[in-house]
Amino acid sequence: MSFRLESRTDASVALKLMVSLGAAVAALLLVAIPVLFAGGSPLTAYSLIIQGAFGSMFAFSETLNRATPLILTGLAAAVAFRARLWNIGAEGQLYIGALAAVLVGSGLLQMPPALMIPTIMIAGFIAGGLMMVIPTILKQRFGADEVVITLLLNFVVILFVQMLIEGPLKDPLSMGWPQSVPLLAEAKLAKLVPRLRMHWGLVVGVAAAILLWVLVRKTVLGFEIRAVGENRAAARFAGIPVDATMLKVALISGGLAGLAGVSEVSGVKGYLSSDLSPGFGYSGIVVAMLAGLSPVGTVFAAIFVAAVFVGADSMSRATGISNYLADLVVALSLLCVLVGGFFLRFRVRYERAMTPVAGE
């Protein structure tokens, strides 16, 4: 008796969907173990998480508000990973995008909202994109590891932002708190629903997901991105400009993360501070992996992750169980998805041992 792995080339959409749902269910079952050790009831905890995330219009709007930057950082990771460009720097790109929005939208330019909003978004997109283009050029020219560079740049950018909001960009009316000067009213994203924090950044995120799906599936650049991701050497042999494609991917990936920063600073806070992001850049990697690098799937994965975080906060207040449970659910979901991805790529074959024939 033995087992062998066989490559699977016919994974259907239904099978991929079942694996994603199965991974989420498996993660919830695994999380039940520490909940029981903490003295809580898993069913009660999960019920409170769902109620806290979707139980009212306010809860649902908070979930969507939390999902907005996750959609954009998830798309940033998804498009880069498709080309096997490992962008771990979405957190820094988010902050540099927010910084660009503040520099442009806090008084440098005077224009109506119809022009100001696109201007700060373009500024944030370009700033975030350049933050990913630089490591990509270093990778192409000198063989530098983009994982290390983008990861370290996160700390460099965040410290740079802290220096600015403690110095030249500090708001003199902030009562000593380290925060930048506020954006002009013309540079703030409007709310989607009155008296709720949900804003037009959500529409931008969903539109970006649809556009990215069209780009990847229906354009020549999308074909080149997929070819480079499958086999870089074969793509180069086929005449695809690999280096130029990687630079375009880097610009799009970093730009999307930069848009996440613009969305947060323009749609939620109205100013830049060092706690603008609780780790949206890193969570975007989880979102992209949960979605199987699908642009449209990223929207649903972001809502799932946001619901877990928002619901866990509500559950923690009601039961006293730590809201770090949310981190556990997300981490175990990712682990289960990776295991499921293995079985999407390979089929396990069971083989019986051959019975010796008498006389042979």
Side-chain angles (χ1 to χ4, degrees):
M1 180 179 71
S2 63
F3 295 94
R4 66 181 176 86
L5 296 177
E6 182 179 283
S7 295
R8 187 196 297 270
T9 59
D10 56 347
S12 63
V13 175
L15 180 60
K16 293 178 180 176
L17 183 61
M18 286 177 60
V19 167
S20 297
L21 292 176
V25 172
L28 292 176
L29 292 176
L30 289 173
V31 170
I33 298 173
V35 172
L36 288 171
F37 275 106
S41 164
L43 290 179
T44 302
Y46 294 152
S47 172
L48 289 171
I49 288 176
I50 294 172
Q51 187 177 353
F54 303 107
S56 65
M57 185 62 193
F58 175 77
F60 187 47
S61 71
E62 284 298 301
T63 299
L64 294 179
N65 191 49
R66 187 73 175 260
T68 299
L70 293 176
I71 292 172
L72 291 165
T73 55
L75 292 173
V79 68
F81 290 2
R82 270 190 177 275
R84 293 190 182 277
L85 181 63
W86 310 116
N87 179 9
I88 315 297
E91 186 77 0
Q93 293 148 20
L94 180 151
Y95 271 97
I96 208 73
L99 176 61
V102 169
L103 290 174
V104 175
S106 60
L108 178 66
L109 300 176
Q110 299 285 343
M111 55 182 72
L115 293 177
M116 179 65 85
I117 297 296
T119 301
I120 64 170
M121 285 193 172
I122 292 171
F125 185 92
I126 293 174
L130 290 178
M131 283 296 297
M132 188 56 205
V133 167
I134 294 171
T136 306
I137 293 175
L138 294 176
K139 173 186 175 69
Q140 292 173 344
R141 298 292 182 186
F142 307 107
D145 189 333
E146 77 272 25
V147 174
V148 176
I149 297 176
T150 53
L151 182 61
L152 293 180
L153 279 177
N154 288 338
F155 302 102
V156 173
V157 170
I158 292 172
L159 289 172
F160 180 64
V161 167
Q162 286 180 344
M163 182 196 73
L164 290 178
I165 61 178
E166 289 278 8
L169 285 182
K170 187 171 184 177
D171 184 3
L173 303 178
S174 65
M175 306 294 288
W177 290 101
Q179 66 184 50
S180 74
V181 291
L183 290 174
L184 299 174
E186 294 83 357
K188 293 181 180 176
L189 289 170
K191 305 299 180 189
L192 285 174
V193 180
R195 291 185 295 178
L196 295 177
R197 295 201 305 162
M198 200 166 47
H199 55 84
W200 275 87
L202 177 65
V203 178
V204 173
V206 174
I210 296 171
L211 289 175
L212 192 59
W213 180 84
V214 172
L215 173 73
V216 171
R217 288 292 173 191
K218 304 294 182 182
T219 66
V220 174
L221 177 58
F223 173 78
E224 292 174 345
I225 292 172
R226 286 183 280 131
V228 169
E230 289 293 331
N231 191 316
R232 200 166 295 173
R236 184 174 281 111
F237 182 77
I240 293 175
V242 173
D243 288 349
T245 303
M246 297 285 281
L247 288 176
K248 292 174 185 174
V249 170
L251 182 62
I252 295 171
S253 175
L256 288 168
L259 276 183
V262 177
S263 168
E264 282 302 284
V265 79
S266 176
V268 180
K269 289 220 166 190
Y271 55 85
L272 178 57
S273 62
S274 58
D275 62 348
L276 180 70
S277 166
F280 290 132
Y282 302 110
S283 299
I285 297 172
V286 177
V287 168
M289 297 304 292
L290 285 175
L293 306 185
S294 162
V296 177
T298 298
V299 176
F300 298 99
I303 293 173
F304 168 74
V305 172
V308 171
F309 281 120
V310 173
D313 287 338
S314 175
M315 179 272 301
S316 178
R317 290 192 295 271
T319 64
I321 298 176
S322 170
N323 58 3
Y324 285 112
L325 184 68
D327 296 325
L328 196 57
V329 173
V330 173
L332 287 172
S333 298
L334 176 61
L335 181 63
C336 293
V337 165
L338 292 177
V339 173
F342 174 81
F343 288 105
L344 280 178
R345 291 195 303 274
F346 298 100
R347 183 184 285 111
V348 180
R349 291 292 190 189
Y350 166 73
E351 293 180 339
R352 290 184 176 179
M354 298 294 291
T355 304
V357 179
E360 290 186 352

